[in-house]
Amino acid sequence: MTDTTSENILKTPPQWKRPDEVMRMHRLKIKKQSLQCRMKGCEAPKAPETKKVEESKPSEPQKAFRNPFKKPLAGPANCSGVKRLREEDDEEDTSLDSSLFRLMGIKKQTQPPQLDLNFSNLMKKINSSDQEFLNVGSRKKRKFIPVDWTLRTRIRLMSSKPFPWNHKLKTCEEASGTTGFVRCVDTQSKSADSNCTLDTSPNARFHQCCLVWQYPSLPWLELYPRSAARRSAASTTINFNSHPNAKNALFQEWTESFRSVFQLVRAQQCPYFYLLANSFTVLFRAAGICGYSEIHAFISPTTRGLRQLLKNEDVEFSMPLKGSGNKTTSKRRSGEVDSDNVLESTQGLPSNDNDEDLEVEDDGTEEILEKLGAEASDIKKLIQSEDETMIQNEANIDGTPESLVCVQGVEAQALFNLLLNFRSTVATVGPLAGVPPTLIAPVAFHSAFLRPLKVHESKLRTKDGANYYSMEICGPILPQMIHNICDLLHVPLSEFSLTFANVESTKPFSLAHSAVQEETSDSYESPNKSCHSESNHSGISVGTRHNIPSVFGQQNLSDSGLRASVLKRFCSSKLDDVQTFDSLKFSNGVFECS
């Protein structure tokens, strides 16, 4: 009895029809109507729009039924179907639009043809002088490459001729490239071939250009760039918060490395280095770089909380990229501040949520309002409103290029002490919890890892049959690497191009050069003009720069590890010698930046 009941339940009720049966009956009905119309010699009736079914002619073979509700998959196989549907919609819209335009007496404007972005057309556009395609405005051609302090994550080299090197190194080439980089030997100079015993082949020289010093370097973590969008929790295998001994040992080793590389910059044995925290980047530069007479540092981006911390720690700074009418510098507090208490009370900085009130100089406004008969409650509300407005104005520039902070002289030493003891630079949560900031420098320092960049070479062929050679370099790209690579290329190759992937938050490091240069020239033009910046311990005004001749900077930094030709550009204080660019093109003996 149970088996009979289950069989009756499983059977489809006779009044129900399966979808395939319904569609089969529908197709048979349409075929029947078509056959009758053919016999009578009239046109077949059109099916309603809501029940359109693709039918082939009787003389043609039956096509497979296409489900109209099927979601199209991404890929070239479905491009034709999507294109056909769009063309049908365009035909309907065209008939309606043409009627409307005809009635209004307006000529319909056709859409501009879309650009075919294949590799052949792209190379033709790059090699042409079409300024609108690249959207770079005015380009300036020069015989040398300007200095750009922006950090890069990737470089792509393109050339119509083979590169003079390849990424497959021989034993002697790899050894000579590594030795030349570690010992800071200039193997690209004309006298290197005769005086140097190292291998000076293009492969060895190229390998020397693709090395960098970094600390820490943990293979299972991506520590460059320190961007939240590029971090992956799946790549973390060790949580340092659960291992306090390992966390403390790593931070202690980092403090020694930070102290070592900073002392090298102070002694002018290292031209510069970068400190990459999770939310900001610091660039320390030696005296003589870009015409600065003292050691200096830039921080970008900053927040109101971080700037307030600098003020609390008596670190004087300027903001060169802020509007000329709003240029600000920190004010020294009259009382002494306990640094330990400040660090404990500012855990979690930098952030926008610091509720400490900004200090406002007493200009006698309160006394004037009292004399005018204003009540104390109204005066308090007015002052509180002014404070809130000032706080809001300061918070509006957080994370923008205008939030760049510059410190010079002894203030750079104070900034170093603050970062050395500031535990909030180490994240407490996330994939990089317990990992100190990344230090990157062009010369060796204590506990630093010698890190090679990843190189990938490929060959591309266009539809026209032309060959293009491409090489991609991934990793921490320091400013002098671009100069070294271009010096290797411009002799054997008549034309080549470089495209960069930038760390956008470090672009203000280059923009600050022109801003400080203009401010310095203004102060020289009008020496009696009041300055917004306070004087520091050494009597030098913060926010202005005392230029020194480039020759003195080159002489003092002759042992800093930079090649003589590159050091000349890095020590120049000229406005045109520092510029931001996203790509470079070499042709006819000149460089074109964009």
Side-chain angles (χ1 to χ4, degrees):
M1 184 68 180
T2 306
D3 296 340
T4 306
T5 305
S6 60
E7 290 178 1
N8 294 334
I9 294 174
L10 293 175
K11 288 183 178 180
T12 304
Q15 65 273 18
W16 289 6
K17 294 183 179 181
R18 297 174 61 83
D20 55 349
E21 296 178 359
V22 174
M23 297 305 300
R24 185 171 63 255
M25 295 298 296
H26 182 69
R27 286 193 292 269
L28 290 175
K29 183 179 179 180
I30 293 178
K31 286 184 177 181
K32 182 179 179 181
Q33 293 177 357
S34 301
L35 182 60
Q36 292 177 358
C37 291
R38 287 184 61 189
M39 295 176 64
K40 295 179 180 180
C42 60
E43 295 183 359
K46 295 183 179 180
E49 294 183 359
T50 56
K51 298 181 179 180
K52 284 187 177 180
V53 180
E54 293 184 5
E55 287 294 329
S56 61
K57 297 181 180 179
S59 58
E60 296 179 358
Q62 181 68 27
K63 295 182 180 179
F65 172 71
R66 178 179 175 273
N67 186 1
F69 304 101
K70 184 178 180 181
K71 183 178 179 181
L73 300 175
N78 296 279
C79 292
S80 59
V82 177
K83 184 177 181 181
R84 184 173 62 252
L85 292 176
R86 289 180 179 174
E87 289 177 353
E88 293 176 358
D89 296 339
D90 292 342
E91 291 177 358
E92 296 177 359
D93 296 341
T94 302
S95 61
L96 179 60
D97 292 345
S98 60
S99 302
L100 292 176
F101 280 110
R102 197 182 309 111
L103 291 174
M104 298 176 64
I106 302 175
K107 186 178 180 181
K108 184 180 178 182
Q109 297 179 357
T110 58
Q111 295 182 354
Q114 295 184 356
L115 179 64
D116 187 11
L117 291 180
N118 55 34
F119 185 77
S120 177
N121 292 340
L122 186 61
M123 290 304 300
K124 290 180 181 178
K125 288 294 183 180
I126 291 178
N127 293 331
S128 66
S129 58
D130 189 0
Q131 301 293 339
E132 295 180 356
F133 175 80
L134 293 176
N135 194 20
V136 296
S138 59
R139 286 180 158 194
K140 186 174 182 180
K141 297 183 179 180
R142 57 183 75 196
K143 294 184 178 181
F144 60 89
I145 304 174
V147 179
D148 189 357
W149 295 99
T150 305
L151 281 174
R152 328 278 186 172
T153 59
R154 185 176 303 173
I155 298 179
R156 172 161 291 180
L157 308 175
M158 298 293 298
S159 174
S160 58
K161 296 181 180 180
F163 295 104
W165 60 75
N166 54 68
H167 65 284
K168 298 180 180 179
L169 300 174
K170 299 179 181 178
T171 303
C172 60
E173 293 173 344
E174 182 178 359
S176 297
T178 304
T179 303
F181 177 77
V182 173
R183 298 180 182 177
C184 301
V185 179
D186 185 5
T187 57
Q188 299 188 31
S189 62
K190 296 180 180 180
S191 59
D193 297 336
S194 57
N195 300 333
C196 183
T197 58
L198 299 176
D199 186 353
T200 58
S201 62
N203 267 7
R205 291 177 176 177
F206 176 69
H207 180 62
Q208 183 176 348
C209 298
C210 298
L211 296 172
V212 68
W213 295 99
Q214 175 181 324
Y215 186 86
S217 181
L218 306 176
W220 63 91
L221 284 177
E222 185 179 1
L223 300 180
Y224 179 87
R226 301 290 286 259
S227 174
R230 296 179 62 88
R231 297 187 218 129
S232 175
S235 62
T236 307
T237 57
I238 296 178
N239 186 0
F240 286 96
N241 286 334
S242 59
H243 301 276
N245 293 334
K247 177 181 177 181
N248 295 334
L250 183 62
F251 187 81
Q252 184 65 28
E253 193 75 13
W254 178 83
T255 57
E256 294 298 327
S257 299
F258 186 25
R259 182 180 291 107
S260 171
V261 68
F262 181 76
Q263 296 297 342
L264 288 172
V265 171
R266 284 190 60 187
Q268 297 180 318
Q269 303 297 313
C270 176
Y272 64 89
F273 74 92
Y274 290 86
L275 183 148
L276 287 82
N278 292 334
S279 56
F280 61 90
T281 304
V282 186
L283 169 62
F284 285 90
R285 299 194 308 201
I289 297 294
C290 290
Y292 282 81
S293 60
E294 295 180 301
I295 184 176
H296 52 285
F298 295 98
I299 311 176
S300 176
T302 62
T303 60
R304 190 176 63 86
L306 178 58
R307 295 191 295 270
Q308 185 65 32
L309 176 63
L310 295 177
K311 295 178 183 180
N312 295 341
E313 290 295 314
D314 292 344
V315 179
E316 293 188 6
F317 62 88
S318 63
M319 304 179 69
L321 295 183
K322 203 172 180 182
S324 58
N326 297 323
K327 283 188 181 292
T328 58
T329 54
S330 63
K331 305 292 183 180
R332 286 198 174 276
R333 305 182 66 180
S334 56
E336 294 294 330
V337 182
D338 186 1
S339 60
D340 295 334
N341 294 335
V342 170
L343 291 177
E344 292 177 1
S345 62
T346 54
Q347 293 294 324
L349 292 176
S351 67
N352 299 351
D353 302 328
N354 188 1
D355 295 328
E356 291 189 31
D357 294 336
L358 295 175
E359 295 186 1
V360 181
E361 294 183 352
D362 187 9
D363 55 357
T365 305
E366 186 174 354
E367 297 179 359
I368 295 176
L369 293 176
E370 289 179 355
K371 292 180 181 179
L372 293 176
E375 296 182 1
S377 58
D378 296 336
I379 296 175
K380 184 177 180 181
K381 291 181 180 179
L382 179 60
I383 295 177
Q384 184 177 2
S385 177
E386 292 178 354
D387 293 344
E388 291 177 355
T389 302
M390 183 180 298
I391 292 173
Q392 184 63 33
N393 292 336
E394 288 291 325
N396 287 338
I397 65 173
D398 290 354
T400 63
E402 289 77 11
S403 66
L404 175 78
V405 164
C406 174
V407 297
Q408 303 179 44
V410 294
E411 304 304 328
Q413 177 69 48
L415 175 63
F416 164 75
N417 295 333
L418 174 62
L419 296 175
L420 193 66
N421 301 310
F422 189 34
R423 287 277 181 163
S424 292
T425 56
V426 182
T428 56
V429 294
L432 300 181
V435 181
T438 305
L439 301 174
I440 301 176
V443 298
F445 56 93
H446 288 177
S447 303
F449 290 85
L450 182 61
R451 177 178 175 180
L453 305 183
K454 297 179 181 179
V455 180
H456 176 71
E457 187 178 7
S458 60
K459 182 179 179 181
L460 306 174
R461 182 183 295 273
T462 63
K463 294 180 180 179
D464 302 335
N467 294 328
Y468 288 93
Y469 300 86
S470 172
M471 181 172 289
E472 190 173 287
I473 307 173
C474 301
I477 310 297
L478 297 181
Q480 88 279 355
M481 291 182 179
I482 302 172
H483 296 256
N484 295 337
I485 292 175
C486 289
D487 287 347
L488 283 176
L489 282 175
H490 81 274
V491 175
L493 299 180
S494 58
E495 290 185 358
F496 61 87
S497 63
L498 293 83
T499 308
F500 309 101
N502 304 323
V503 180
E504 295 297 329
S505 61
T506 60
K507 274 191 174 182
F509 295 153
S510 296
L511 300 176
H513 179 78
S514 58
V516 175
Q517 186 79 345
E518 292 174 359
E519 183 181 356
T520 305
S521 61
D522 293 342
S523 63
Y524 288 154
E525 291 175 1
S526 54
N528 296 328
K529 184 178 180 180
S530 60
C531 186
H532 292 277
S533 54
E534 292 284 321
S535 298
N536 57 16
H537 296 299
S538 62
I540 297 178
S541 169
V542 175
T544 60
R545 179 180 63 185
H546 294 260
N547 294 333
I548 61 174
S550 176
V551 63
F552 291 108
Q554 296 179 53
Q555 183 63 30
N556 295 333
L557 292 168
S558 58
D559 295 329
S560 62
L562 296 180
R563 296 168 45 237
S565 59
V566 177
L567 182 61
K568 180 180 179 181
R569 299 302 173 191
F570 277 64
C571 293
S572 175
S573 60
K574 295 180 180 179
L575 186 63
D576 294 340
D577 287 351
V578 178
Q579 177 187 344
T580 60
F581 51 84
D582 297 330
S583 63
L584 282 174
K585 179 186 174 184
F586 179 79
S587 179
N588 299 325
V590 294
F591 289 95
E592 198 171 352
C593 306
S594 61

